[in-house]
Structure formats: structure tokens, C-alpha cells
Amino acid sequence: MVKHVYLIKLKDRSKAKEVVEKIQTLQGNVPSILRVEAAVDFRGVKGSYDLVEICEFQKMADFEEFCVDPYHEQIRQYMAQVVEHSCKVDYIVD
């Protein structure tokens, strides 16, 4: 299994719910995704990110398909407009 974890700091935290809903549309629109989880940080303290995105893939080939998927590219373009800062990690679960 491959996991893609993305921590996101928004330009405007009040849009967090809207962004989570947009991320969740990846499920069902990108066939290679096994599971999508997106949620808003409930604490909102200094140093925390506003939300998290976790995508799971059955195998590396599915992750690679996700990286070039046209719908995923649309979401990337949207995110570029609302994200202030982000960090991510992609890893394999044995």
C-alpha cells in the first residue's frame, strides 16, 4: 500500500470546510485512489496546519496514475489558489 499525506496551511482558514469537500471529490473521480481522508485541524493553534489530506493506493502504479490524472490536476490548480504553505510525505506501508 502507498500513502500520500499532505498537511496544508490555507491563506484563509475560513475556507477549510470547502477545501476538504473539494479534496474528498478525488474519491470517485480518480479511479486509482483506494481511499481519501481529509479533515480540518480542530485546535487551530500556532504552528499547526489547517487541514490534512491522506490518500491511499493499493500499489505504486496506482499512485503514479494519480500523479498524472487530469482530475487530480484540476484539484491541484484549485489548491494553488488557496494554499499558503504545505508539506507532504509519500510512503510505502508493508
Side-chain angles (χ1 to χ4, degrees):
M1 177 179 290
V2 176
K3 287 197 178 188
H4 167 75
V5 179
Y6 199 12
L7 299 176
I8 301 164
K9 184 72 152 176
L10 298 171
K11 293 176 184 176
D12 179 358
R13 185 176 167 87
S14 71
K15 295 187 182 231
K17 185 177 181 219
E18 171 188 318
V19 175
V20 165
E21 290 170 356
K22 190 71 134 171
I23 291 167
Q24 289 172 335
T25 67
L26 288 165
Q27 185 89 46
N29 284 294
V30 179
S32 62
I33 292 178
L34 184 62
R35 182 173 165 263
V36 173
E37 181 178 347
V40 177
D41 171 66
F42 66 86
R43 292 186 65 205
V45 297
K46 183 179 179 179
S48 66
Y49 283 77
D50 296 317
L51 56 100
V52 62
E53 168 193 331
I54 303 169
C55 296
E56 295 179 357
F57 305 88
Q58 191 67 38
K59 56 190 183 295
M60 185 61 71
D62 294 336
F63 174 72
E64 291 167 351
E65 286 178 29
F66 165 75
C67 291
V68 297
D69 183 88
Y71 188 81
H72 180 218
E73 181 57 34
Q74 289 177 27
I75 298 298
R76 273 195 204 119
Q77 290 174 13
Y78 166 80
M79 296 297 284
Q81 297 171 32
V82 299
V83 172
E84 178 180 312
H85 178 72
S86 64
C87 62
K88 62 184 166 185
V89 63
D90 301 303
Y91 61 98
I92 296 171
V93 178
D94 292 328

